[in-house]
Amino acid sequence: MFPIYDVIVVGAGHAGCEAAHAAATMGSKVLLCTMNMNTIAQMSCNPAMGGVAKGQIVREIDALGGMSGIISDKSMIQFRMLNRSKGPAMWSPRTQNDRMRFAEEWRLALERTPYVDFWQEMISGLLVKDGRVCGVRTGIGIEIPSKSVVLTNGTFLNGVIHIGEKHFGGGRTGESAAKGITEQLVSLGFESGRMKTGTPPRVDGRSLDYSKMEVQYGDENPEKFSYLDSTQPLKKQRSCWITYTNKEVHQSLETGFDRSPMFNGRIQGLGPRYCPSIEDKINRFAERERHQIFVEPEGWDTVEIYVNGFSTSLPEDVQYKALRLIPGFENAKMFRPGYAIEYDFFPPTQLKLSLETHLMENLFFAGQINGTTGYEEAASQGLVAGINASLKVQEKDPFILKRSEAYIGVLVDDLITKGTEEPYRMFTSRAEFRLLLRQDNADIRLTQLGHEIGLASDVRLEKMIDKKSGTAKLINDLKQKKLSPESINEGLETIGTSSIQEKISAEKLLKRPQIGIRELMAVDEDLNQYLNKYSKEVLEQAEIQIKYDSYIDKEQQMVEKLSNMENYRIPTQFDYISITALSNEGKQKLNKIRPETLGQASRISGVSPADLSILTVYLGR
């Protein structure tokens, strides 16, 4: 009935979609398995992509040849570049999306991708032979052979939904949980755990009074995620709104705390620290009199509203009463209550940097099964797992991104090296080289790598090369262009910066804090005409590189200093236990995580500098 597939992807969320697309684009025959074809790429929580650090990840996925940026662009209803008031390392693109169009665009993209087949059914187990995965078994007992399997099960593994004192099995509202895989993996020696996440109620936008809220517009000149020209910035946008809870809301919510599954011990899994439920906020930050609520439309044409900031698992009657005490929500009609969901995950220290498991060859994990939270984190892992599953089938070396190359590299390294006891979320602070890992230069950093493995197209590569060469030419020309006092001093005074006494290069003038490319164009007409020949992307890239060149150089020097350790590989079967000089904790941690490089070993909690020195000596021998 079925051919032998190169890659079977289990689960069609953000991780599964990226995995299937990447592997198929690289030439592998892929089967994407999902319990419901109508929920492919469902935005289970908020209808948005990107944000702080997450926007950088979406740009990186796009630069490598993934689809999340393109799908986001095609379905966005609002675009905002966050943190514009800060330095460029902090700029983070974010889109508000049409939930239904996002899922539709992903499904259409997958259906147009050669070598992707679909199968709608629960996968209940894996086919295993001689320590290798060799296919999957479906809920009705069909065995489908494959050379590799990528598990992207999201919140479905033994999922339990909680609403107050009610609890029932489910992977998402209205959808069944997946059973069998956890039990099999545990029997094979894998370690599993439980995590929790939640979602807020959805309400009828027609029942809200927006005059009592603060309007939140999109950017005046919106941008987009994808570096390709196949998507376009928005010409019109939908607004979001902001309102706040108050003491009355908090007191109303507290009346249900005795029935809260989070407080009465029914929920055992740890929830995301940085996206807590409203009851957790009230409990942990009792001194706060109000909390921000983002009122976000679910799409262009729907009246459904996502109440961002009001995630809860309290009883539905408590949710409803408290909602109606929020300014603008006095007459709110609820479409469905918020809920919490508990699910199985597998500590990611059981994985290699390729996201292949140590215990089972040809088996890859991606997404929430690894203990992460967020669409973007899941999508990036799916991309890495899909790439590496395809490369494994082709008997090629794995694709590993370093911490100095991408936020995706930071994410994977954090998970594998440090593990996580709570849902992992990416922040700019997790990246030690964040000035190098900006959202504007993801293509320059990664597109060549994506092209080499057969994922990024020729068009992408050519576009990146044009941008890179154009930036270099512009920077050189700005160094050569001399500006005289008589031609620019009047303009300099107008923009509030000191005049010059002698000729100065345009590049040196651009280093002033008060002057950007636009100001430079305003003070010299010849320069204005010349700079207008360049694209916005090249102008921005040149400005950033000129203004921050000394800081960028310092970070690059740090990368080079650490590169020796990152390039010093440790043999796969290295025997740590026999090295008596290593500390007991060092032996245990190294043997469990099995780092692939000395650099990775140095980041393992419990491995001391002395352990590292001893390890270096033994590797030298």
Side-chain angles (χ1 to χ4, degrees), residues 127-165:
L127 304 180
V128 178
K129 186 178 181 181
D130 300 327
R132 297 185 177 196
V133 70
C134 54
V136 299
R137 182 180 294 104
T138 75
I140 62 172
I142 298 172
E143 295 188 350
I144 310 175
S146 74
K147 298 174 185 176
S148 66
V149 173
V150 181
L151 293 183
T152 69
N153 303 79
T155 60
F156 282 78
L157 292 178
N158 292 321
V160 176
I161 291 173
H162 297 267
I163 304 175
E165 295 173 302

Side-chain angles (χ1 to χ4, degrees), residues 252-323:
S252 180
L253 289 167
E254 286 170 354
T255 64
F257 278 14
D258 60 329
R259 293 186 282 158
S260 166
M262 198 180 79
F263 295 138
N264 63 22
R266 185 173 292 123
I267 292 179
Q268 299 297 316
L270 279 172
R273 177 191 301 262
Y274 303 103
C275 188
S277 63
I278 188 66
E279 56 264 38
D280 196 20
K281 289 180 191 175
I282 294 168
N283 188 52
R284 283 165 53 190
F285 309 107
E287 74 284 357
R288 295 277 296 273
E289 293 187 357
R290 69 177 192 171
H291 294 281
Q292 209 167 35
I293 300 294
F294 295 92
V295 181
E296 300 177 342
E298 296 259 350
W300 284 114
D301 304 314
T302 181
V303 298
E304 191 172 357
I305 294 292
Y306 181 86
V307 190
N308 193 344
F310 204 84
S311 176
T312 180
S313 59
L314 288 167
E316 64 274 14
D317 59 320
V318 176
Q319 295 184 34
Y320 185 60
K321 288 176 184 175
L323 262 181

Side-chain angles (χ1 to χ4, degrees), residues 324-341:
R324 287 192 147 210
L325 295 171
I326 297 173
F329 281 71
E330 292 84 358
N331 299 305
K333 294 179 181 178
M334 189 188 288
F335 279 169
R336 61 183 185 275
Y339 62 87
I341 182 165

Side-chain angles (χ1 to χ4, degrees), residues 60-324:
E60 289 177 354
I61 291 170
D62 185 75
L64 286 165
M67 289 297 293
S68 287
I70 291 172
I71 303 298
S72 298
D73 288 349
K74 288 184 175 181
S75 60
M76 64 180 168
I77 62 175
Q78 188 192 85
F79 181 94
R80 292 176 66 217
M81 184 67 77
L82 307 183
N83 291 332
R84 272 288 192 188
S85 61
K86 300 179 181 179
M90 302 298 290
W91 298 351
S92 302
R94 183 185 189 272
T95 58
Q96 196 69 33
N97 294 84
D98 186 307
R99 184 187 299 280
M100 291 182 285
R101 291 190 185 183
F102 185 94
E104 179 187 32
E105 289 291 349
W106 244 127
R107 176 162 174 173
L108 291 173
L110 288 168
E111 289 181 354
R112 294 182 190 122
T113 303
Y115 306 128
V116 174
D117 291 345
F118 301 86
W119 185 255
Q120 178 175 294
E121 193 186 346
M122 185 183 81
I123 301 302
S124 59
L126 303 171
L127 304 180
V128 178
K129 186 178 181 181
D130 300 327
R132 297 185 177 196
V133 70
C134 54
V136 299
R137 182 180 294 104
T138 75
I140 62 172
I142 298 172
E143 295 188 350
I144 310 175
S146 74
K147 298 174 185 176
S148 66
V149 173
V150 181
L151 293 183
T152 69
N153 303 79
T155 60
F156 282 78
L157 292 178
N158 292 321
V160 176
I161 291 173
H162 297 267
I163 304 175
E165 295 173 302
K166 302 166 186 171
H167 60 100
F168 46 90
R172 192 161 47 204
T173 182
E175 296 182 64
S176 301
K179 299 184 181 298
I181 290 178
T182 296
E183 293 75 11
Q184 182 187 15
L185 289 174
V186 169
S187 73
L188 290 167
F190 285 89
E191 176 191 350
S192 72
R194 296 285 277 177
M195 279 191 177
K196 166 246 171 189
T197 190
T199 193
R202 282 18 173 225
V203 301
D204 187 337
R206 297 169 298 184
S207 65
L208 303 183
D209 183 354
Y210 298 101
S211 67
K212 295 182 179 180
M213 308 178 198
E214 302 169 17
V215 66
Q216 189 177 47
Y217 300 109
D219 286 354
E220 187 176 343
N221 297 302
E223 299 176 37
K224 62 194 187 77
F225 276 119
S226 182
Y227 292 98
L228 289 178
D229 296 327
S230 56
T231 62
Q232 298 300 317
L234 288 169
K235 290 190 167 49
K236 65 171 184 173
Q237 302 184 68
R238 281 206 69 176
S239 296
C240 298
W241 293 266
I242 299 174
T243 185
Y244 299 87
T245 61
N246 51 49
K247 284 185 178 180
E248 290 73 25
V249 175
H250 299 179
Q251 290 167 359
S252 180
L253 289 167
E254 286 170 354
T255 64
F257 278 14
D258 60 329
R259 293 186 282 158
S260 166
M262 198 180 79
F263 295 138
N264 63 22
R266 185 173 292 123
I267 292 179
Q268 299 297 316
L270 279 172
R273 177 191 301 262
Y274 303 103
C275 188
S277 63
I278 188 66
E279 56 264 38
D280 196 20
K281 289 180 191 175
I282 294 168
N283 188 52
R284 283 165 53 190
F285 309 107
E287 74 284 357
R288 295 277 296 273
E289 293 187 357
R290 69 177 192 171
H291 294 281
Q292 209 167 35
I293 300 294
F294 295 92
V295 181
E296 300 177 342
E298 296 259 350
W300 284 114
D301 304 314
T302 181
V303 298
E304 191 172 357
I305 294 292
Y306 181 86
V307 190
N308 193 344
F310 204 84
S311 176
T312 180
S313 59
L314 288 167
E316 64 274 14
D317 59 320
V318 176
Q319 295 184 34
Y320 185 60
K321 288 176 184 175
L323 262 181
R324 287 192 147 210

Side-chain angles (χ1 to χ4, degrees), residues 372-620:
T372 60
T373 181
Y375 305 147
E376 303 82 2
E377 290 87 344
S380 66
Q381 291 172 75
L383 185 78
V384 170
I387 288 170
N388 282 312
S390 184
L391 290 173
K392 187 75 187 282
V393 170
Q394 298 173 40
E395 299 182 348
K396 294 180 179 178
D397 291 337
F399 178 75
I400 308 295
L401 288 170
K402 298 175 184 175
R403 296 181 70 91
S404 57
E405 289 177 323
Y407 271 93
I408 298 173
V410 174
L411 183 149
V412 172
D413 185 73
D414 275 356
L415 291 174
I416 277 69
T417 305
K418 301 173 184 176
T420 185
E421 294 180 355
E422 60 187 40
Y424 177 101
R425 179 180 178 180
M426 179 53 72
F427 293 100
T428 51
S429 57
R430 295 192 189 273
E432 54 270 59
F433 306 116
R434 56 185 173 272
L435 188 51
L436 300 180
L437 309 182
R438 306 183 310 275
Q439 57 83 32
D440 60 89
N441 70 348
D443 54 342
I444 293 173
R445 290 184 277 121
L446 300 173
T447 296
Q448 178 80 46
L449 298 176
H451 186 266
E452 287 171 2
I453 58 173
L455 184 56
S457 65
D458 292 343
V459 173
R460 281 190 181 278
L461 183 64
E462 289 163 10
K463 191 165 173 46
M464 181 277 290
I465 291 171
D466 287 345
K467 175 179 171 180
K468 192 174 178 180
S469 60
T471 302
K473 182 179 185 306
L474 176 54
I475 291 173
N476 184 63
D477 288 351
L478 290 174
K479 287 178 179 178
Q480 304 303 319
K481 174 69 174 175
K482 302 297 182 183
L483 303 172
S484 63
E486 54 270 19
S487 65
I488 66 168
N489 273 348
E490 186 177 342
L492 293 178
E493 290 173 13
T494 302
I495 59 177
T497 186
S498 58
S499 57
I500 60 173
Q501 305 305 314
E502 56 187 27
K503 282 189 174 183
I504 186 174
S505 72
E507 182 242 9
K508 192 171 182 180
L509 193 63
L510 189 56
K511 287 179 181 287
R512 291 189 179 185
Q514 307 91 343
I515 294 182
I517 283 285
R518 295 300 161 194
E519 288 74 23
L520 205 58
M521 294 168 79
V523 300
D524 187 271
E525 183 56 36
D526 289 343
L527 202 53
N528 179 49
Q529 290 180 12
Y530 170 71
L531 292 175
N532 267 321
K533 297 175 183 177
Y534 286 94
S535 68
K536 179 179 178 295
E537 291 76 20
V538 168
L539 292 173
E540 180 181 74
Q541 195 65 209
E543 181 176 345
I544 291 170
Q545 288 189 28
I546 288 170
K547 280 187 174 293
Y548 297 91
D549 64 333
S550 60
Y551 299 100
I552 291 170
D553 283 346
K554 279 182 182 177
E555 282 205 357
Q556 198 60 57
Q557 288 168 21
M558 286 175 62
V559 170
E560 288 165 8
K561 281 182 182 178
L562 295 171
S563 65
N564 285 339
M565 289 183 71
E566 295 299 337
N567 294 330
Y568 203 135
R569 302 198 66 78
I570 302 174
T572 307
Q573 300 302 321
F574 190 82
D575 184 5
Y576 300 101
I577 304 301
S578 67
I579 304 177
T580 55
L582 288 173
S583 67
N584 287 332
E585 185 181 6
K587 285 181 191 177
Q588 291 169 4
K589 294 289 181 68
L590 288 164
N591 195 53
K592 178 182 179 181
I593 294 169
R594 307 210 65 81
E596 297 177 32
T597 66
L598 266 181
Q600 188 189 354
S602 72
R603 293 187 290 274
I604 298 174
S605 174
V607 175
S608 68
D611 288 333
L612 204 63
S613 296
I614 292 162
L615 186 58
T616 304
V617 170
Y618 271 81
L619 286 168

